[in-house]
Structure formats: C-alpha cells, structure tokens
Amino acid sequence: MLKPQKLVMIPGPTPVVRSIQDQMGRETVAFGDPDFIEDFKNVVKDLRELWQCSGQTFVIAGSGTLAMEMAVANVSKPGDKALVCSNGFFGDRFAEICKKRGLNIDVIKARWGSSVTSEEVKERLSKEKYDLVTVTHVETSTGVMAPIGEIGKVVQDHGAIFVVDGVAASGGAEEYVDPMGIDVLISCSQKAFGVAPGLALLWASKKALDKRKSLGTIVDSYMDFEKWLPVMEDPSKYWGTPPINLIWALKQSLEIIKSEGIKERYARHVRHATLFDEAISSMGFSILADEGYRAPTLSVYLYPGEFNIDDSKFRSLVAEEGAYIAGCLGDYAGKGFRMGHMGNIDKHILISAVASIERAAMRSGIKLEPGKALGILQRGFVEESM
C-alpha cells in the first residue's frame, strides 16, 4: 500500500513551506559577509516594526525556553516579587523559572480550559506590590488564549514589568508590544513563523531595557541583553555565532507575513481556527478551551466518552492516515489530542488533516457521518473566497 505523506499538525514544529526550506538549504556564508549582515539587520528591523516595539528585538540561537529564561534574567533580581498567571503547563514553567532565579512568587492558576482574567490580576496587584508579572499568551497545553491586552493595561497601571510568553501565538494571534503594554515578549521560530526549530526571539520595551541597565552586572552571559544589544544594533559585531541559515529562513518567513499583511494573517488564523473547531466537533470531539478564550493557533480536542478511545492507538491511526497530532498534557493525558493550525498552512493542508482525523475516527469505531466535517471546511473556504 502506498503510504500517505505525513503532515506535521502538532502545536509545533509546524509545516515549513518550500521557500523557507530553500533558505535553510543555501550555502552557508561567513557571519561577517556584508550581504548576510544586511539580511540580519532587516530581520531585526522587521520584527521590531511588525510587532510595534519601540525598544529592541533579539534574535539568537536557542529555544523558546531559553527566551523565557532570558526574559526573567534581564528584568529581575533575586528577592524580587513576581506574579505568575498560569493557564496550564507552560504557565507553570514560568513559575519554576522564576523560583529557580530566587524570585518570591505568587501564582494565579486558572482551571485548565479557562484563563486568568484582568480582573483577577487587578485584584492581586491592588493588594500587593509586584516587580514582575508573567502570562502565557497562548497556552500550548490547553489551547487557551489569555486577554493580554487587558492584562497589560492593568500591569502598566501598577508599574510592574509585564512579560508575555508568545511562543504559540506570535505570528498567528494578534500581538503588539507597545500598544498592549508588553515589556518583554518572547517567542521562537518553529510555531506560527513556520521555520524550523532553533531561534529564540525576544522583544524588549524601552522600560525593560532601562530595567536591565539598573541591575548592573548579572550572573548570566549568553542571555544578557547588554551582550546582545550591540549585535542587534549592528550585526557586523560579534558576541555569539548567529545561526545564519535559520536567520535567512526567518527573513523569508517575515517576507511571507508582510506579503499577506499581518492584520490579514491574524484574521485568517481566527477564521480557519473557527472552521477547524467546528469540523472536529462535528465528529463528536469536544474542545477543552472555553468559548471566548479559544486560541487561533492550536486546539485541544477531547475524545467522546461513550466510545472508550485508546489515545496512543488513535494517534497512531491518525499518523497512518497522514497526520501527526500530539497527546494531551497534565490531567488530560490520554483523554484527547492537541492539534496545531497555525503558520503558513493552506486550505489543502487543513482539509487533509481533518480527513485524516475522520478516517482514524471511523477506524476507531466512532459513529459519525462521513464527509460532514470536510463539508464544513469546504463551505467555509468557498464563502471565504467569495
């Protein structure tokens, strides 16, 4: 039997389109090559302008977790008070990072599937002084999107540094640094940017840069803003070797974003996520995230209880049918799956992914109407183009 091509539909890495792959396949040049220096400079500039950041953008070799640590390292010191807003697994990771760096932390935990609200943050900040507030924009473990604009206004009104984890959001969910009151935004290359893993991205407001200066010498070296600022301002300078081909790939990703238009890109993600959720729900799966907090970049779907689905077997069947999906985390492990629908994926990929789920569901004994889910996507895509 001819095996189908397997689509990567996990919450990241996401599918990498050919034009971005081509950049990763270029012959590597010296990091001092004048053309590469100009390309690097344009990447930093585009990130700053597209995300409306009046401070500075950092692009370095590393993961999203490195960016999380880098954010905390540059705007806090041991003994500072931090409020961690956690909507799931990766919010809890922020708490762990802050604790290990010697910060005194309080945590607001939302029920998995819901979000910490601006009202909860305001109530906590009105009672106690915090130096730092963290929140995850899109929580990869739950498919929940936090209201960062509303939370950012509250945090700024109380004078704290606002740190946002945008790993599963940046480039797919509406997100701007200065307008949303964000002081440090972190992300990485392999999610909605549609690039291979390997780049840590970080935006720092002027307030955050001033905070770093006020700290004086910090124990970190590779993560220190002060070490990287000269390079981001002039990439001909050296601190650590830049991942040349990944930076070219990110440059191409940003060209795609600019060509589509970042506002239209955000709107497309919302439209397609809504269709995707409706299509998967029509097969009997339920959505973990509450309405009003559902992310446009990924979703968590729970198995219909009446069919006693074996999680590992179901995900293996989906892979056989042509798509990789991810297991759930925490208390929901084994009870459903996580699926990304972000980046540069088109209608063909979305339809193929839903078809893979439908075939696997039928093979698992789930009673459904064949083609109903695909019909929802087809009608939605036709209406979109009219």
Side-chain angles (χ1 to χ4, degrees):
M1 180 184 294
L2 182 65
K3 294 184 178 180
Q5 178 183 350
K6 289 184 173 61
L7 303 172
V8 181
M9 299 302 295
I10 62 175
T14 59
V16 180
V17 298
R18 173 54 59 188
S19 63
I20 292 176
Q21 290 182 40
D22 289 344
Q23 295 301 310
M24 293 188 290
R26 288 174 60 181
E27 182 176 354
T28 303
V29 300
F31 55 77
D33 181 280
D35 290 336
F36 170 70
I37 290 170
E38 187 63 23
D39 288 340
F40 198 172
K41 188 182 301 182
N42 286 330
V43 164
V44 173
K45 176 175 177 287
D46 283 344
L47 287 170
R48 193 167 57 240
E49 291 180 353
L50 286 168
W51 271 259
Q52 298 181 33
C53 175
S54 58
Q56 186 55 278
T57 304
F58 298 84
V59 181
I60 63 174
S63 67
T65 302
L66 173 74
M68 291 174 79
E69 296 216 33
M70 187 173 177
V72 177
N74 283 277
V75 296
S76 67
K77 63 183 184 300
D80 279 355
K81 190 79 173 174
L83 179 64
V84 176
C85 305
S86 178
N87 292 334
F89 183 87
F90 291 95
D92 292 345
R93 179 174 289 186
F94 246 140
E96 180 186 2
I97 288 171
C98 290
K99 187 174 182 180
K100 285 189 173 183
R101 296 197 69 86
L103 277 64
N104 297 316
I105 65 167
D106 288 330
V107 180
I108 305 177
K109 273 184 176 286
R111 171 183 55 81
W112 278 41
S114 187
S115 175
V116 173
T117 66
S118 58
E119 290 79 13
E120 290 174 298
V121 176
K122 184 175 182 179
E123 181 182 4
R124 192 66 68 92
L125 293 182
S126 67
K127 295 177 179 178
E128 193 161 355
K129 173 72 174 176
Y130 289 93
D131 302 287
L132 180 71
V133 177
T134 74
V135 68
T136 306
H137 189 181
V138 169
E139 174 55 62
T140 314
S141 63
T142 64
V144 163
M145 181 168 67
I148 59 167
E150 297 171 14
I151 295 173
K153 185 177 186 308
V154 170
V155 174
Q156 291 301 319
D157 287 345
H158 287 78
I161 295 284
F162 187 37
V163 178
V164 173
D165 172 2
V167 165
S170 305
E174 188 171 4
E175 189 180 71
Y176 301 107
V177 176
D178 293 348
M180 291 184 168
I182 301 171
D183 292 305
V184 184
L185 171 66
I186 66 100
S187 194
C188 56
S189 52
Q190 77 270 19
K191 303 277 188 173
F193 285 101
V195 177
L199 286 177
L201 309 176
L202 191 148
W203 293 257
S205 70
K206 290 180 178 178
K207 179 181 172 184
L209 296 175
D210 289 342
K211 178 67 175 180
R212 168 61 194 92
K213 286 186 181 296
S214 74
L215 297 176
T217 301
I218 64 174
V219 298
D220 305 278
S221 181
Y222 187 73
M223 296 191 295
D224 189 354
F225 281 0
E226 295 290 290
K227 295 291 188 181
W228 287 107
L229 272 169
V231 180
M232 297 303 113
E233 292 165 359
D234 179 3
S236 67
K237 295 180 179 177
Y238 177 81
W239 167 235
T241 304
I244 293 162
N245 291 64
L246 280 173
I247 289 171
W248 278 332
L250 181 58
K251 181 176 184 294
Q252 176 59 26
S253 171
L254 291 168
E255 291 299 326
I256 292 171
I257 291 172
K258 289 190 294 182
S259 176
E260 182 176 14
I262 194 162
K263 290 184 178 180
E264 169 52 31
R265 188 178 182 87
Y266 292 150
R268 167 174 63 84
H269 275 79
V270 171
R271 291 195 306 271
H272 289 182
T274 301
L275 285 173
F276 211 75
D277 284 349
E278 185 182 352
I280 300 294
S281 296
S282 74
M283 291 185 265
F285 300 93
S286 58
I287 303 168
L288 175 60
D290 294 344
E291 282 195 56
Y293 294 110
R294 291 175 182 170
T297 52
L298 68 100
S299 298
V300 178
Y301 301 111
L302 303 178
Y303 298 123
E306 65 268 29
F307 294 110
N308 194 27
I309 301 299
D310 181 290
D311 171 56
S312 179
K313 183 177 179 181
F314 180 80
R315 288 187 288 114
S316 293
L317 287 174
V318 176
E320 285 181 19
E321 293 297 340
Y324 287 115
I325 56 177
C328 289
L329 301 173
D331 291 342
Y332 287 92
K335 298 178 181 179
F337 61 92
R338 296 178 299 138
M339 200 162 188
H341 36 75
M342 65 181 120
N344 301 314
I345 55 178
D346 59 19
K347 301 171 186 178
H348 303 294
I349 294 176
L350 291 174
I351 287 172
S352 296
V354 167
S356 298
I357 298 290
E358 184 177 79
R359 291 193 296 271
M362 293 170 68
R363 290 176 63 184
S364 298
I366 295 176
K367 305 301 181 184
L368 54 83
E369 180 185 338
K372 182 179 179 181
L374 293 176
I376 289 169
L377 287 185
Q378 294 284 44
R379 284 191 296 273
F381 291 148
V382 169
E383 290 171 3
E384 181 181 69
S385 61
M386 292 178 67

